[in-house]
Amino acid sequence: MTKLQATANHFGQDVSAGIEAEPDGVIALDPGLTALWESAAPLLKVRSNDAHTLYAFGLASALLDAHPEADAAVVLPAIMLHDIGWSQVPPSEVLQAIAPGGGRPDLVLLHEKEGARLAAGILSEGGYDPAKVPAILDIIDGHDSRREALSIEDAIVKDADKTWRLSPHGIDTVMDWFGLDRGQALRLCSQRVHGHLFTDEAKAIARALSALESVNGWPQRRRLLTAGGDAGPAPI
């Protein structure tokens, strides 16, 4: 579980006055996209796609900062809606679509087609710019199955979607999808991410996440965890 509150204050004093309200790199969800999320969220309660979508949205936002030539008005709705089509796949079959050593390409294609169909309705009802909608739908319809990127916007959506797998939440989620230990999940996610990304920035993010996660498997780190080595402040 993501830690939201401190369990201790080793310093013993309130330092909040020294924290900027809006430092560089901290993002918020735009009100217009918040409304889009409210429409998408009920369709994302499959296979942890709701949390996955929010984290992938964050990654897409970071990639947009590195690619000012990309149209955020296409990328962000596309990443927000990219997986709503899984709601139309029988729950008992969802994980069959991406299971290691097998897979159901037909289900992958189904969720893309259904996702584009559902997204068209959501965007229309929300009064979204009709000039942007075709590009958004094209990205959704093929975001997993299509091997090439149609545009920089498509590349960013694909990269954000895949790179999530190597995030702490991605590793946690994949572990429980297939009953894997953390090391197995890391290896599975690594083989499905590295070599499959388009932007240099996503490649760097993915390498960093893999390296950090690898440390969790080292005996040195495991000893710190079992000995409660995270309980106090680091030595100076």
Side-chain angles (χ1 to χ4, degrees):
M1 175 181 290
T2 302
K3 188 174 181 178
L4 297 178
Q5 297 292 334
T7 56
N9 182 345
H10 298 294
F11 184 52
Q13 299 177 35
D14 183 0
V15 300
S16 58
I19 301 173
E20 297 177 15
E22 297 182 5
D24 186 33
V26 177
I27 67 172
L29 190 58
D30 176 87
L33 290 165
T34 298
L36 194 64
W37 164 255
E38 295 302 326
S39 296
L43 301 172
L44 290 168
K45 294 181 179 180
V46 179
R47 210 186 65 186
S48 297
N49 275 321
D50 42 11
H52 155 66
T53 294
L54 293 176
Y55 284 119
F57 184 99
L59 288 166
S61 296
L63 293 175
L64 279 168
D65 283 344
H67 288 276
E69 76 277 17
D71 189 348
V74 170
V75 170
L76 297 179
I79 196 69
M80 188 72 82
L81 300 173
H82 77 283
D83 269 345
I84 58 176
W86 285 117
S87 64
Q88 306 304 299
V89 177
S92 62
E93 298 180 10
V94 167
L95 287 177
Q96 294 179 28
I98 57 169
R104 288 277 305 276
D106 59 311
L107 297 180
V108 173
L109 292 172
L110 175 62
H111 103 276
E112 291 174 336
K113 296 291 185 188
E114 288 296 298
R117 178 183 66 81
L118 292 168
I122 290 173
L123 293 168
S124 176
E125 291 171 8
Y128 207 77
D129 184 351
K132 307 288 186 183
V133 171
I136 295 169
L137 300 184
D138 283 346
I139 289 172
I140 295 170
D141 188 4
H143 68 273
D144 278 332
S145 63
R146 189 172 51 245
R147 299 305 178 199
E148 71 282 356
L150 300 175
S151 60
I152 183 59
E153 291 81 12
D154 191 21
I156 288 174
V157 170
K158 284 176 169 292
D159 282 1
D161 186 22
K162 284 189 174 66
T163 303
W164 161 83
R165 298 183 189 196
L166 290 168
S167 70
H169 179 262
I171 298 294
D172 288 348
T173 302
V174 172
M175 287 173 68
D176 288 344
W177 280 352
F178 302 117
L180 304 177
D181 66 33
R182 199 164 193 87
Q184 290 173 317
L186 172 60
R187 294 194 296 276
L188 175 61
C189 291
S190 292
Q191 74 188 44
R192 291 187 170 184
V193 174
H194 300 306
H196 301 282
L197 299 173
F198 295 94
T199 64
D200 289 340
E201 294 79 11
K203 293 173 186 177
I205 292 170
R207 289 287 173 185
L209 290 172
S210 276
L212 285 172
E213 190 59 56
S214 296
V215 172
N216 284 326
W218 293 1
Q220 295 86 350
R221 176 60 178 147
R222 294 294 179 92
R223 285 197 296 270
L224 292 177
L225 290 170
T226 57
D230 288 338
I236 298 174

